[in-house]
Amino acid sequence: MAGVDQATLAEKAGVTRQAVSVVETDDGKKMDPRRRKVLEAMQRVLEDEYGIEFFAASENPGEGVRFRR
């Protein structure tokens, strides 16, 4: 959606490219504190630099992402 590669996202988020790759492919249900830290860093970059908005699940639209309006 942002059109950014793993290496660029990792650099801007201050994590390794491998960490981004692991988070992208991890389908585990358990939220490890290290995984949460990487996800929060990635989310911050995607929101601040690429205009992507993340929103939590609700009864109406559900969870998801979109470009900020």
Side-chain angles (χ1 to χ4, degrees):
M1 186 171 174
V4 62
D5 61 29
Q6 289 179 342
T8 302
L9 180 58
E11 181 181 334
K12 290 177 183 248
V15 299
T16 65
R17 190 211 49 82
Q18 184 179 10
V20 172
S21 177
V22 168
V23 166
E24 285 183 343
T25 60
D26 183 15
D27 61 356
K29 302 297 181 221
K30 184 177 178 181
M31 186 57 74
D32 171 291
R34 293 170 296 174
R35 179 179 176 212
R36 179 178 297 280
K37 187 175 180 177
V38 171
L39 285 169
E40 288 171 349
M42 290 169 52
Q43 180 177 348
R44 207 169 22 255
V45 170
L46 292 168
E47 289 176 339
D48 295 348
E49 296 196 25
Y50 296 96
I52 294 174
E53 178 181 20
F54 291 79
F55 48 98
S58 68
E59 291 183 22
N60 294 329
E63 64 187 9
V65 296
R66 65 181 174 206
F67 284 109
R68 264 190 227 118
R69 296 177 189 197

